Amino acid sequence: MTRESFGASVREAAAILPSGTTTFLRLPTPGPALAGVTLLVVVALVALTQGAADIPPATVVRILLDSLPLVSVDVTVPVTQETIVLDIRLPRVIAAGAVGAALALSGASYQGVFRNPLAGPFLLGVASGAALGAAIAIISPLSADAYGFGWVPVFAFAGALGTVVLVYLLATGGGGVDSTTLILAGVALSAVFGAATAFILLTGGEQARPIFSFLFGGFNTSNWERIAWAAPYMLVGTVLVAMHARVLNVLQLDEEQAAQLGVSVTRTKLIVLAAASLTAATAVAMAGVIGFVGLIVPHAVRLAFGGDHRRLLPLAALFGASFLILVDLLARTMLSPQEVPVGVLTALLGGPFFLWLLRTRRAAAL
């Protein structure tokens, strides 16, 4: 990649880092942060009001306030509306926001590590590993219930993380991790696991039909148990990435220069890639395969607000959450009562965006 595309990050990397230290995020300036939070609140509120049964925003706000501890609000609404908001739509909105934030954050991390804005969360085969794990769970004789939400996300999570570990092992050699080998290993394993999933689809009969819903992604099975299970993993991955935000700025320089500034390049890459993969794997286990979020959102945020990862990471998470909540709202309302898979809409949006980005990078290289 050219230094111009990450010029802001390089300029921020001018400060010398003491060896072995990490720096947390720098809070975004009030304008972008306020815009991101406001957009997230508005989109989430709209998503809670819209559906097969429209509920007025004021009613939704009263229901939400009354559900808070130590807060009592006079809510004179039908029990059905309260159930719809708190038990159906709210976990779906929170799940969509969490997955959108996780995918955008991991996408920004991958792009920073590889110094390539075309990189995304599924670069290392996370999606294909998760899909294969889910397919195995669906056709297995295991009970449909596990920890309150089923074996499918458990197997998907194991498949995604197992793929990442295998890719790391294949790319490790000579005391370091080669980025090119890492990418090639991810692509190769994606092809192998994709073929295995296709074989299961062809031979699994009617039992394999639910695999399609996982491959296309969505939030129609979201619930509080699944959110509670996923939250610790997302939190750990997010904190680890945040701790290396300023170091990601330094990595935009040549690796030798970064090492001279006291950065352990290989160790930093491994930690950030592992944390980003953990976050992305958890997102895939929650919602299935939803592509392009980790490509579109970080690149758009970088164009709008610069490439300093101390600001880029939190803003990418905010706008990623809003983006996927909005896409999920469109998915369940545009052809109501039929629901469009969220992964289909993100592919329709992300495919042309990826081609445009590829063309602009090629033109800049000429």
Side-chain angles (χ1 to χ4, degrees):
M1 64 166 292
T2 60
R3 290 189 180 182
E4 288 76 13
S5 59
F6 275 82
S9 293
V10 174
R11 287 191 293 271
E12 288 289 342
I16 297 178
L17 295 176
S19 178
T21 63
T22 54
T23 306
F24 281 94
L25 300 178
R26 170 182 292 179
L27 293 178
T29 52
L34 181 60
V37 172
T38 302
L39 178 63
L40 179 58
V41 171
V42 170
V43 169
L45 181 60
V46 172
L48 290 172
T49 64
Q50 301 300 308
D54 292 343
I55 302 176
T59 301
V60 170
V61 172
R62 288 200 299 271
I63 292 173
L64 293 176
L65 290 176
D66 189 62
S67 66
L68 296 175
L70 305 179
V71 177
S72 179
V73 178
D74 183 18
V75 181
T76 55
V77 298
V79 176
T80 53
Q81 289 189 350
E82 189 172 349
T83 301
I84 289 172
V85 172
L86 296 180
D87 297 333
I88 299 176
R89 292 183 185 171
L90 185 58
R92 180 163 185 158
V93 168
I94 291 176
V99 170
L103 293 176
L105 184 76
S106 59
S109 304
Y110 282 120
Q111 291 164 15
V113 168
F114 294 115
R115 294 188 292 174
N116 189 337
L118 298 179
F122 300 147
L123 185 68
L124 303 183
V126 173
S128 58
L132 179 58
I136 293 173
I138 289 170
I139 65 169
S140 72
L142 293 172
S143 171
D145 181 70
Y147 307 109
F149 57 83
W151 281 107
V152 172
V154 175
F155 273 60
F157 182 72
L161 282 189
T163 303
V164 172
V165 171
L166 185 56
V167 169
Y168 285 157
L169 293 176
L170 291 172
T172 303
V177 177
D178 181 68
S179 297
T180 302
T181 305
L182 200 72
I183 295 173
L184 292 176
V187 171
L189 286 178
S190 293
V192 173
F193 292 158
T197 304
F199 180 80
I200 292 174
L201 283 169
L202 289 173
T203 59
E206 289 295 321
Q207 188 180 359
R209 288 180 64 87
I211 297 174
F212 284 104
S213 63
F214 188 88
L215 292 177
F216 291 132
F219 300 96
N220 55 323
T221 60
S222 299
N223 54 51
W224 292 113
E225 289 83 2
R226 186 171 296 186
I227 293 172
W229 173 85
Y233 297 97
M234 284 191 175
L235 181 62
V236 169
T238 299
V239 170
L240 285 174
V241 170
M243 290 176 64
H244 293 81
R246 190 176 180 187
V247 184
L248 280 173
N249 287 343
V250 181
L251 288 181
Q252 307 316 303
L253 301 168
D254 183 84
E255 290 190 3
E256 292 185 3
Q257 293 177 302
Q260 291 174 359
L261 292 175
V263 175
S264 177
V265 176
T266 300
R267 177 178 175 272
T268 299
K269 284 185 175 182
L270 279 175
I271 293 175
V272 174
L273 288 175
S277 298
L278 174 65
T279 306
T282 308
V284 174
M286 282 184 67
V289 180
I290 299 176
F292 291 104
V293 177
L295 173 70
I296 296 175
V297 177
H299 191 72
V301 171
R302 186 179 293 108
L303 289 176
F305 304 112
D308 183 351
H309 286 84
R310 293 171 294 177
R311 296 188 178 96
L312 172 63
L313 293 175
L315 288 175
L318 278 174
F319 286 102
S322 299
F323 174 75
L324 204 54
I325 291 173
L326 181 59
V327 172
D328 180 57
L329 174 61
L330 294 174
R332 61 185 173 86
T333 58
M334 63 186 300
L335 295 179
S336 183
Q338 184 179 356
E339 186 169 318
V340 180
V342 174
V344 171
L345 289 183
T346 58
L348 290 174
L349 294 171
F353 181 86
F354 181 83
L355 294 175
W356 170 80
L357 183 59
L358 193 63
R359 182 174 178 82
T360 55
R361 280 177 53 81
R362 181 182 177 187
L366 294 177

